[in-house]
Amino acid sequence: MLIFSNTCQYAIKACIILAIERRKIGIADISEKIGTPTPFTSKILQHMTRKKLISSGKGKGGGFYLDDEQFENLTIKDIYENFEGKEVLTSCLLGLSLCNGENPCPIHHLAVAVKEKVMIMFQYKIKDLKDLGSVMKLMNEPEVF
């Protein structure tokens, strides 16, 4: 589907792992669970740490984790906006600068309906997603993602 880049997908999956684990977890373990190369996963997680979406600890016993506030409040939208930008869901899908309700592009009304549904999905908190479906099983089957 067109709304999540691979990077954003991996970021969301990594956060689901952190929500499931509720402890510090090393980069190698996260990479293995979400099926990505460790250096790529490291860049994603470091970016999220800098943006304070997740936390990290260094040294022995270190790793990435969600603190209590992050666990309670982190949403799909938070992650999405940090990787895809905020303007993606507010701009015209055809890239037309003058597209709006009064001057719609050919797909404007279809796009508005889709964007409304996406905004509902964006409200979901990562802590609530960890219990939906068979997350771990699906993550171990690369053809599903």
Side-chain angles (χ1 to χ4, degrees):
M1 183 152 198
L2 69 123
I3 64 170
F4 294 129
S5 66
N6 285 339
T7 302
C8 189
Q9 289 175 20
Y10 299 142
I12 292 169
K13 289 193 270 187
C15 288
I16 291 171
I17 295 298
L18 297 177
I20 290 168
E21 295 289 333
R22 290 298 287 146
R23 63 179 175 85
K24 291 180 184 171
I25 181 168
I27 190 72
D29 290 336
I30 295 170
S31 294
E32 181 181 330
K33 289 177 187 281
I34 66 174
T36 58
T38 302
F40 184 54
T41 307
S42 179
K43 286 182 182 182
I44 293 169
L45 296 178
Q46 287 172 7
H47 174 78
M48 288 194 295
T49 301
R50 281 192 303 275
K51 297 294 184 174
K52 301 192 186 317
L53 297 176
I54 65 173
S55 297
S56 67
K58 295 183 180 190
K60 188 174 180 171
F64 294 92
Y65 64 98
L66 296 173
D67 67 22
D68 292 339
E69 191 270 327
Q70 292 160 338
F71 178 77
E72 289 297 324
N73 298 306
L74 184 62
T75 64
I76 293 175
K77 182 180 179 188
D78 296 329
I79 298 166
Y80 182 86
E81 287 182 344
N82 274 278
F83 288 96
E84 311 293 348
K86 295 180 181 186
E87 67 284 341
V88 174
L89 289 175
T90 58
S91 62
C92 172
L93 292 182
L94 296 180
L96 303 174
S97 60
L98 299 177
C99 177
N100 57 46
E102 294 170 10
N103 186 32
C105 75
I107 64 169
H108 178 81
H109 298 294
L110 296 170
V112 168
V114 170
K115 287 177 182 182
E116 287 173 357
K117 299 228 184 277
V118 169
M119 292 310 290
I120 292 169
M121 178 186 61
F122 276 6
Q123 294 173 26
Y124 278 94
K125 294 182 180 181
I126 295 298
K127 73 172 186 169
D128 298 327
L129 294 178
K130 72 178 181 63
D131 297 323
L132 298 177
S134 301
V135 175
M136 294 303 290
K137 181 176 183 268
L138 292 173
M139 285 187 186
N140 290 325
E141 297 176 14
E143 67 275 6
V144 176
F145 286 107

